[in-house]
Amino acid sequence: MSDTGGEALSGPDLGTVGAASSELRDGGMLLGHFSGEPVLLVRKGTAVHAMGAKCTHYGGPLAEGLFDGSTVRCPWHHACFRPDTGEAVHAPAIDPVACYSVEQRDGRLFVKWKISKPAASAPSASVPSSVIIVGGGAAGFAAAEMLRRQGYEQLVTIISADDAGPYDRPNISKDYLAGKAPEEWIPLRPPDWYQETKVDLLTSRRVVRLLPDTHSVELDDGRRLEYGALLLATGASPVRLDVPGAQSPHVLYLRTLRDSRTIIERATQARRAVVVGASFIGLEVAASLRTRNLEVHVVAPEEIPMQRVLGAELGRFVREVHEQHGVQFHLGQTVTSIAEQSVTLKNGTKLDADLVVVGIGVRPNMELAKEAGLKVNGGVLVDEYLRTSGPDIWAAGDIARWPDRYSGTTIRVEHWVVAEQHGQAAARNMLGDKQPYAAVPFFWSAHYDVAINYVGSAQEWDEAKVVGSIPNRDCLVAYRKNGKTLAVASVNRDAESLRIQLAMERGDAAAVDACLR
Ligand SMILES: Cc1cc2nc3c(=O)[nH]c(=O)nc-3n(C[C@H](O)[C@H](O)[C@H](O)COP(=O)(O)OP(=O)(O)OC[C@H]3O[C@@H](n4cnc5c(N)ncnc54)[C@H](O)[C@@H]3O)c2cc1C
Ligand code: FES
């Protein structure tokens, strides 16, 4: 290992020493460095590619990920990169990694120079005359970026009810809320990007009506805009707590960047917080407020946090992790009223609280779709290309219910990476790609220094099989129904999580189970 004053670099210097060609097997990866940057060699058959080894999302070590024969997958949040072009073909990474030329000489592999970025591909002839994207969140942004990346040159308009441009929503309950992420991490792109790429971004603007017959939308300022193709990506809104006192100004929700800033502002003066709901968001808020040294109480009706999603054993572990950090749980309880300085529970307990954050779930924003007569059923129904029942209308993200190949059912999930990948797939399909959406859902959640990754989708299961040790933070938990593994949660088992997701994508249930032995 060598250190060039910045980050430690591993493996051989591929510019001077190179690597023995025999060390890189077919389908394998080899980590080295070139000009002070970590570089990964990847072999497919006789072709050897060299690419940047650090994920452009949050810097995940790609060498610890997986090469699936066409893309290199990041171990942290499962972004996929093409080794020949560096392109981030699947979110959450958006930017490419660098690519390098490789020379094979005397049985050794050498990296020669960085290759300049490939030009955008030309879109097919039958492209829409313009695209309107309703919603400036994960799916909406990813779709706009992909349209431009694919060389689409017509008008692209994002209309967003949010007052901020697209941002990294998962971060606003984690490092940002904890005060550990700088402001510049939060926007997905700086404001200039929208000008440079000619993506028209209208913020603080709501679409109030969708008119499929005239291919147009009506905005809350009375304007009517026409589209050639439309993407509905309106996301979800928090479920509101309905008890006396729930309207008080110190009772807050977390969906937007503004919400996160409001909680931070309150948290700087507050001493005791009550978090209502032991959901992922509720518990991430609890963790972030503990980092800010507030006393934190979590109130939730279930006996074990997140049992419905993660099962009893992993749920208990999550609870213990939070308790080790000082969070106090009031489980099997609901809130009956909220006063200025306290919260009363069903069993009569009164908890002091000068800040209350409610995280009791979300509802998909489907009003536009419903009123326009699109087919909905617990989500806006889309086909495998993410097309709705309306002409030239696609849907993506938290609102979309799509046919999931692995489970053989239609599903709707609320995951960041899925929303982005939906947006990317819808954009490609608008341009005539005709690629069925085949990705297997993935999400992650962070609690202090514990990250939980989850692949697949188990709406219900009859067995939660634990492999490894939950207390040692080294485990897989498989959620199985009728003997089939539908989803797998993992802690510190990133490589297995990637392999299981790949096996699920290939519809290979036996290979999934082989990873669980
Ligand atoms: C605090 C928080 C933390 C999260 N952490 C994680 C995580 O760690 N991992 C994970 O997998 N998922 C996480 N999620 C879930 C993830 O963020 C969502 O699944 C994802 O953002 C959904 O993307 P979307 O594009 O469907 O909707 P959103 O990102 O919610 O975007 C919807 C957009 O539509 C706009 N909009 C709505 N109605 C209209 C209208 N009528 N006109 C115009 N605009 C409209 C909204 O203003 C918004 O800009 C988190 C969510 C929250 C709130
Ligand atoms: S760091 Fe690679 S996907 Fe997040």
Side-chain angles (χ1 to χ4, degrees):
M1 184 178 280
S2 62
D3 196 324
T4 53
E7 277 180 66
L9 296 169
S10 293
D13 184 331
L14 297 169
T16 53
V17 183
S21 184
S22 56
E23 278 179 46
L24 184 62
R25 62 173 177 83
D26 189 10
M29 303 192 287
L30 191 151
L31 180 64
H33 54 95
F34 176 74
S35 278
E37 303 281 341
V39 169
L40 197 59
L41 295 178
V42 179
R43 185 193 290 278
K44 187 175 182 194
T46 51
V48 176
H49 303 288
M51 61 191 282
K54 200 166 153 185
C55 178
T56 54
H57 180 228
Y58 273 103
L62 296 180
E64 292 169 27
L66 177 75
F67 177 45
D68 63 22
S70 49
T71 65
V72 171
R73 301 180 178 216
C74 177
W76 286 0
H77 315 113
H78 297 200
C80 298
F81 297 89
R82 269 179 60 166
D84 54 342
T85 62
E87 183 186 359
V89 281
H90 291 300
I94 302 290
D95 293 317
V97 291
C99 273
Y100 302 82
S101 71
V102 182
E103 186 184 61
Q104 305 204 33
R105 190 176 2 114
D106 303 330
R108 296 192 76 75
L109 299 164
F110 293 92
V111 167
K112 300 303 289 177
W113 56 75
K114 210 180 245 187
I115 302 170
S116 52
K117 303 246 173 327
S121 46
S124 76
S126 62
V127 295
S129 53
S130 64
V131 177
I132 286 185
I133 297 169
V134 188
F141 167 78
E145 195 279 337
M146 186 53 77
L147 285 168
R148 288 298 185 238
R149 202 196 297 181
Q150 296 292 316
Y152 180 67
E153 288 178 345
Q154 313 294 324
L155 188 63
V156 175
T157 309
I158 301 178
I159 304 162
S160 179
D162 205 310
D163 58 3
Y167 49 84
D168 187 349
R169 198 178 303 280
N171 208 317
I172 65 171
S173 55
K174 303 180 180 72
D175 287 352
Y176 185 76
L177 186 59
K180 295 194 295 184
E183 283 288 335
E184 61 266 25
W185 283 12
I186 301 306
L188 295 179
R189 281 287 184 270
D192 295 357
W193 181 84
Y194 298 91
Q195 280 133 34
E196 282 161 16
T197 55
K198 298 195 173 65
V199 169
D200 217 353
L201 173 64
L202 309 181
T203 50
S204 304
R205 203 71 300 144
R206 190 168 277 280
V207 171
V208 291
R209 220 142 69 95
L210 164 58
L211 303 147
D213 290 347
T214 53
H215 274 58
S216 61
V217 292
E218 229 173 74
L219 308 192
D220 56 359
D221 60 1
R223 265 187 295 167
R224 192 177 273 207
L225 302 179
E226 290 183 3
Y227 59 79
L230 181 103
L231 179 69
L232 268 182
T234 46
S237 298
V239 173
R240 300 275 145 177
L241 188 64
D242 186 18
V243 298
Q247 308 296 328
S248 312
H250 68 301
V251 179
L252 302 174
Y253 294 81
L254 179 55
R255 182 77 196 178
T256 65
L257 181 55
R258 178 175 288 273
D259 293 340
S260 186
R261 288 184 178 140
T262 308
I263 296 172
I264 291 168
E265 210 178 290
R266 276 265 169 188
T268 51
Q269 288 137 38
R271 264 186 341 101
R272 287 172 60 121
V274 167
V275 174
V276 184
S279 59
F280 283 106
I281 292 176
L283 290 182
E284 287 182 356
V285 169
S288 296
L289 294 180
R290 284 298 301 138
T291 307
R292 288 180 177 272
N293 277 325
L294 269 73
E295 186 178 319
V296 178
H297 295 253
V298 174
V299 179
E302 58 266 35
E303 294 297 335
I304 300 172
M306 297 195 286
Q307 182 174 7
R308 197 183 61 76
V309 185
L310 297 181
E313 288 185 70
L314 200 48
R316 266 189 225 108
F317 165 73
V318 170
R319 173 187 173 159
E320 279 161 24
V321 169
H322 281 271
E323 283 175 340
Q324 282 157 12
H325 286 82
V327 172
Q328 297 174 55
F329 283 90
H330 305 266
L331 297 168
Q333 286 303 317
T334 51
V335 169
T336 52
S337 66
I338 300 174
E340 210 177 310
Q341 290 294 326
S342 67
V343 168
T344 304
L345 310 189
K346 194 174 70 182
N347 67 358
T349 305
K350 218 174 208 189
L351 300 172
D352 288 345
D354 34 25
L355 168 62
V356 179
V357 183
V358 182
I360 54 174
V362 296
R363 279 201 195 96
N365 296 322
M366 299 195 296
E367 295 74 15
L368 287 175
K370 279 189 194 159
E371 283 162 20
L374 304 185
K375 283 193 187 149
V376 297
N377 181 11
V380 178
L381 295 181
V382 294
D383 65 11
E384 58 186 339
Y385 304 104
L386 300 166
R387 283 181 310 214
T388 70
S389 59
D392 302 314
I393 303 173
W394 279 256
D398 284 4
I399 60 166
R401 176 173 284 277
W402 83 98
D404 173 55
R405 284 192 175 180
Y406 181 68
S407 64
T409 57
T410 64
I411 60 171
R412 187 187 73 75
V413 301
E414 291 145 10
H415 306 343
W416 178 256
V417 174
V418 172
E420 288 187 314
Q421 292 185 352
H422 273 178
Q424 295 180 324
R428 290 186 181 114
N429 286 327
M430 280 177 185
L431 302 182
D433 223 18
K434 276 260 166 199
Q435 285 290 322
Y437 181 78
V440 163
F442 164 81
F443 79 79
W444 81 98
S445 182
H447 306 260
Y448 315 95
D449 55 346
V450 176
I452 299 171
N453 283 2
Y454 182 105
V455 292
S457 169
Q459 314 288 323
E460 48 182 38
W461 71 90
D462 48 38
E463 184 197 356
K465 176 183 167 184
V466 179
V467 178
S469 163
I470 294 179
N472 289 348
R473 303 177 174 202
D474 175 24
C475 64
L476 299 167
V477 183
Y479 307 96
R480 293 161 61 81
K481 183 147 197 234
N482 300 329
K484 181 178 179 186
T485 300
L486 298 176
V488 177
S490 60
V491 179
N492 288 325
R493 293 276 187 117
D494 292 340
E496 281 109 315
S497 174
L498 281 171
R499 279 204 297 276
I500 290 166
Q501 188 185 31
L502 181 62
M504 287 178 171
E505 280 170 18
R506 292 175 173 165
D508 190 346
V512 172
D513 286 344
C515 298
L516 295 165
R517 283 190 200 115

